Amino acid sequence: MARIGNFKSSHGTVETPNIMPVINPNLVAISPRRLWEEFRTKIIITNSYIIKRTEGLKDEALEKGLHDILDFPGTIMTDSGTFQSHVYGEVDLDPIEIITFQEAIGSDISTILDRFTEPDDTREVAEQKVKDTIQRARQATSECEGSIALPIQGSIYPDLREKCAKVLGDLPGTLYPIGGVVPLLEDYRYDELVKVVMSSKKGLGPKGPVHLFGAGHPMIYPLAVLMGCDLFDSSSYIKYARRGDLMYPDGTRNISDLEYLACNCPVCRNTDIDGLKDESDEKRTMMLAEHNLWISYMEIGRVKQAIREHSLWELVEQRARGHPSLLDALNTIHGYWKFMEKFEPRGRRRALFYTGEFTFNRPLVKRILHWIEEDYSPPVKDAPSIVFNGKYLGKPYSRYLTKELEYLLPDYMVNLLVNTPFGLIPLELDGVYPIAQSLFPGYVSYGEIKDLVVWNGKETLESLEKGKGMSLDEMRVRSISDFQFCKGAGSILSDGKLEFVYNRKGGINNILLDERHILSVRAYDGLFSLKIPGATLLKDKLPPPILRIKVNDDSAEYNSQGKNVFAKFVLEAWEGIRPSDEVLIVDRNDDLVAVARAMLNKEEMNVFDKGMAARVRQGIER
Ligand code: GUN
Ligand code: ZN
């Protein structure tokens, strides 16, 4: 669900995830000009309610415009006064007047006057506030021209959040903040924050950008981005500085407790802890604010790199160790694995690193383990299973079992399992991500295999029945296809004479069925790539919409020439498709026009009107 995005306004492009430093126009700490020049800040947020009620400032803003009075050439978002109603009680504002004002002063994104739902609001109160928020969102989007942010409210009631998000998502908003979460953040109620964000995301779908209103501490960024949040606003950098607090990616430390700065930001590298303590109160506060902002940007950069290198789950697991409340949040996130799994590729280019027992709860891991538990059927019917203990083997396990496999297959009627840190895994899946592509510490425990038929050499052989079994490679075609494509794909792709072409290491390169090249093995995740003959077989035997992306006529023409599929032209996509899956591109008549790799899942293909839906590997000339 984490994503790198480009958010465009008439004042430039902002790469997300990103932070919007909060500027209080009456109390500027770091000037917007310095933010732009030194911190390379591309987007800030300020408060239109404060501007409007400050005599002099209001007229100046109306006359010169927001960018001029703040002296900031980038994108400026404005808030509406809702937060002030949370802090000071009801504010005297007209919802349309404040939106009109924001547009009049040249805001790039105006925020409606949503109604702040408190965590301890009763259901009735929260429901009414959601109703009002939706009504104001409808009015603002129908009466105003510019870009509008529509905050999602609903207190801690998941169904209210989901419903509010769904309704707002259908309105022409530019940005979807998740509101009403400041009290949760202030009290470290991160597990409830997870429920709020996830239910909002469920209702909103992949639309964005999503802004987490009031989240200013970098320790929350990895977790929030993992859930699909794109923007954060931060006034915390200055608020923390005023009370002597320094932010770090793993938490907060007060200057009075510090003996070392343990930071190399432009502020800290030019002083030390004693130097910092000797500064005047005002200067020190400024320096802490700058440090806090540098740390925030650094952590955003760290998160973006993690997205690109496919290591965000690891980063979240590491950061969660910094605070028990983050561990609670991570534990709560795992409860959403079935929803999150829809956005998760089956394989990744980077090996899975174990960071603790939580690693087994990642959606990608849960998916394959759940599949083995629920849907896997052993390839040889009514045959016993023999277990090998993977603990003393290298990976992929089967490569260290060539002797044993020679004795066993295909002369004996057996199925094979291997004991791994993930539990018992069918041996034919030993090359599939993350079974082979994972790193564990030596002490990690393997499953209990006492009551099973454990391989014990000759003794085991003598206890078995001879018969027509299956080779391990035939088992691979069956089981991997069933896991990767859908139930039944394995028998379709092995109905005939199978042949295998091997690489130098003994792994499979290509798979032929009745002399036609149907599959190749993807080196990095052990899954298959589909060749045209394989794709044709699957299309003929599996009813629509399985495995398919149906495209419009123009697109079909292009795709058949090998050009990529764009989301805008997708008519229908199968719900089983995951990003990076092998897919069949078909036209309106269900004729195959290309084989491709999906870049998005079904929901994303439906919602996005820009960008690539699938990368075509091979078109079929018509
Ligand atoms: N700032 C912090 N939380 C909120 C919120 O829920 N709504 C608005 N408009 N601003 C906020
Ligand atoms: Zn620093």
Side-chain angles (χ1 to χ4, degrees):
M1 293 167 76
R3 52 213 186 164
I4 304 257
N6 277 320
F7 177 60
K8 290 180 181 154
S9 80
S10 60
H11 287 89
T13 299
V14 180
E15 193 178 78
T16 62
N18 217 325
I19 35 183
M20 308 185 276
V22 173
I23 300 298
N24 180 339
N26 287 329
L27 202 69
V28 171
I30 309 171
S31 75
R33 176 55 60 180
R34 276 195 62 209
L35 288 174
W36 174 259
E37 280 168 7
E38 286 175 41
F39 291 78
R40 303 206 212 165
T41 299
K42 296 283 183 282
I43 183 167
I44 58 174
I45 179 167
T46 189
N47 197 298
S48 64
Y49 169 66
I50 296 176
I51 297 174
K52 190 165 179 290
R53 65 155 195 215
T54 309
E55 277 317 315
L57 192 57
K58 173 187 170 185
D59 295 330
E60 202 189 347
L62 283 169
E63 198 179 304
K64 297 184 185 160
L66 199 50
H67 291 79
D68 192 277
I69 62 162
L70 291 181
D71 188 24
F72 187 75
T75 302
I76 305 180
M77 174 174 174
T78 44
D79 200 356
S80 55
T82 297
F83 191 66
Q84 283 65 25
S85 76
H86 157 70
V87 180
Y88 308 109
E90 283 305 306
V91 290
D92 180 26
L93 266 178
D94 175 71
I96 277 297
E97 204 180 306
I98 192 68
I99 274 281
T100 315
F101 178 72
Q102 292 173 70
E103 305 213 316
I105 60 177
S107 171
D108 292 305
I109 312 142
S110 312
T111 305
I112 63 163
L113 188 70
D114 51 321
R115 292 200 64 200
F116 196 101
T117 48
E118 306 284 348
D120 54 7
D121 277 346
T122 63
R123 205 189 149 81
E124 288 66 38
V125 168
E127 217 164 355
Q128 187 57 48
K129 287 181 177 174
V130 165
K131 259 196 194 142
D132 295 345
T133 298
I134 289 172
Q135 186 265 325
R136 292 174 186 186
R138 285 218 168 92
Q139 193 181 12
T141 48
S142 70
E143 289 181 21
C144 304
E145 300 271 292
S147 297
I148 299 181
L150 306 175
I152 298 159
Q153 295 290 351
S155 180
I156 55 171
Y157 304 99
D159 59 316
L160 290 187
R161 285 278 174 184
E162 188 171 337
K163 189 187 136 220
C164 183
K166 193 162 168 42
V167 175
L168 295 183
D170 287 336
L171 298 175
T174 298
L175 182 72
Y176 296 93
I178 298 175
V181 296
V182 168
L184 299 178
L185 290 162
E186 282 176 344
D187 292 341
Y188 290 84
R189 291 160 71 177
Y190 296 150
D191 56 337
E192 290 166 280
L193 178 75
V194 166
K195 292 179 193 159
V196 163
V197 173
M198 290 305 290
S199 47
S200 304
K201 287 289 293 189
K202 271 188 181 174
L204 188 63
K207 288 199 185 80
V210 172
H211 162 201
L212 193 59
F213 238 138
H217 199 299
M219 71 191 278
I220 200 81
Y221 296 163
L223 183 79
V225 171
L226 185 79
M227 295 189 286
C229 296
D230 307 294
L231 284 166
F232 304 94
D233 61 286
S234 175
S235 60
S236 306
Y237 69 102
I238 177 67
K239 284 190 186 147
Y240 277 54
R242 289 204 185 102
R243 53 176 200 240
D245 280 340
L246 283 88
M247 293 171 163
Y248 291 93
D250 64 346
T252 309
R253 290 171 183 86
N254 193 271
I255 187 167
S256 58
D257 298 327
L258 283 181
E259 295 190 37
Y260 302 93
L261 286 174
C263 176
N264 218 353
C265 81
V267 176
C268 298
R269 83 169 67 119
N270 287 314
T271 184
D272 57 21
I273 186 67
D274 295 330
L276 198 57
K277 283 180 177 169
D278 284 344
E279 297 287 355
S280 69
D281 286 357
E282 199 181 335
K283 179 83 195 295
R284 190 174 55 245
T285 300
M286 276 295 290
M287 288 167 83
L288 293 195
E290 286 177 34
H291 159 90
N292 288 342
L293 205 52
W294 283 120
I295 289 284
S296 302
Y297 277 117
M298 247 181 264
E299 187 65 356
I300 283 291
R302 180 74 191 80
V303 167
K304 284 185 185 172
Q305 175 60 24
I307 295 175
R308 288 280 190 223
E309 71 184 22
H310 294 195
S311 68
L312 187 58
W313 275 98
E314 272 149 40
L315 183 63
V316 169
E317 288 165 10
Q318 285 163 20
R319 294 291 188 247
R321 307 267 161 195
H323 199 290
S325 298
L326 283 175
L327 280 173
D328 260 338
L330 182 56
N331 190 45
T332 305
I333 280 197
H334 292 142
Y336 292 92
W337 77 270
K338 280 201 172 165
F339 176 68
M340 300 186 94
E341 177 271 324
K342 296 194 174 108
F343 299 85
E344 191 86 32
R346 282 170 218 274
R348 293 188 171 278
R349 286 184 185 276
R350 180 188 155 99
L352 173 139
F353 278 22
Y354 176 87
T355 71
E357 68 282 9
F358 274 137
T359 302
F360 295 123
N361 292 332
R362 292 185 200 169
L364 183 150
V365 179
K366 282 275 220 197
R367 166 171 49 212
I368 187 162
L369 299 185
H370 186 262
W371 181 83
I372 291 170
E373 183 102 5
E374 299 284 317
D375 300 317
Y376 170 75
S377 48
V380 183
K381 298 269 167 308
D382 304 321
S385 293
I386 293 179
V387 186
F388 295 99
N389 195 352
K391 191 158 181 122
Y392 308 104
L393 303 174
K395 286 188 280 193
Y397 299 105
S398 59
R399 209 164 287 170
Y400 297 83
L401 294 167
T402 42
K403 270 244 163 60
E404 290 83 347
L405 292 175
E406 240 169 67
Y407 291 136
L408 280 165
L409 302 179
D411 304 334
Y412 287 90
M413 301 278 285
V414 284
N415 294 298
L416 305 174
L417 296 169
V418 59
N419 193 27
T420 76
F422 297 103
L424 289 177
I425 302 291
L427 188 64
E428 68 269 25
L429 296 177
D430 74 338
V432 170
Y433 196 93
I435 310 303
Q437 304 81 349
S438 45
L439 267 136
F440 290 93
Y443 66 75
V444 77
S445 54
Y446 285 53
E448 195 61 57
I449 49 177
K450 263 210 224 94
D451 300 330
L452 302 162
V453 188
V454 182
W455 172 255
N456 195 6
K458 201 161 159 234
E459 211 175 292
T460 315
L461 275 186
E462 282 165 359
S463 71
L464 295 173
E465 224 179 290
K466 281 211 171 192
K468 191 164 162 11
M470 220 182 259
S471 78
L472 188 65
D473 288 341
E474 284 169 342
M475 292 183 189
R476 288 195 207 280
V477 175
R478 286 184 164 267
S479 300
I480 297 175
S481 300
D482 273 5
F483 168 64
Q484 180 183 352
F485 301 125
C486 67
K487 201 175 181 66
S491 54
I492 295 169
L493 294 171
S494 55
D495 184 16
K497 189 173 133 264
L498 280 171
E499 288 172 276
F500 298 88
V501 180
Y502 299 93
N503 59 31
R504 272 184 294 114
K505 285 187 181 162
I508 305 171
N509 263 356
N510 299 326
I511 300 169
L512 286 71
L513 180 70
D514 294 332
E515 299 182 354
R516 285 171 310 168
H517 182 186
I518 54 166
L519 301 167
S520 291
V521 176
R522 300 204 302 227
Y524 75 93
D525 63 6
L527 296 169
F528 295 140
S529 62
L530 257 180
K531 301 289 145 185
I532 299 279
T536 307
L537 265 177
L538 289 175
K539 205 226 72 175
D540 289 345
K541 298 272 165 67
L542 295 167
I546 299 175
L547 283 180
R548 292 155 169 86
I549 297 177
K550 193 197 279 185
V551 296
N552 73 14
D553 299 340
D554 288 346
S555 177
E557 192 59 40
Y558 276 114
N559 306 142
S560 72
Q561 295 160 21
K563 292 182 186 133
N564 296 326
V565 180
F566 286 86
K568 195 159 60 176
F569 307 121
V570 171
L571 300 175
E572 200 185 320
W574 183 44
E575 63 173 5
I577 294 172
R578 302 289 175 265
S580 91
D581 268 3
E582 300 288 313
V583 287
L584 313 175
I585 310 301
V586 296
D587 65 12
R588 279 176 202 281
N589 310 317
D590 202 42
D591 282 334
L592 189 65
V593 298
V595 285
R597 276 187 80 174
M599 296 285 118
L600 308 170
N601 69 17
K602 173 200 169 90
E603 258 192 290
E604 292 167 328
M605 289 183 209
N606 287 344
V607 166
F608 295 163
D609 52 19
K610 276 194 189 134
M612 203 194 298
R615 190 183 292 279
V616 168
R617 185 171 321 97
Q618 208 179 341
I620 300 174
E621 286 288 351
R622 300 170 339 137

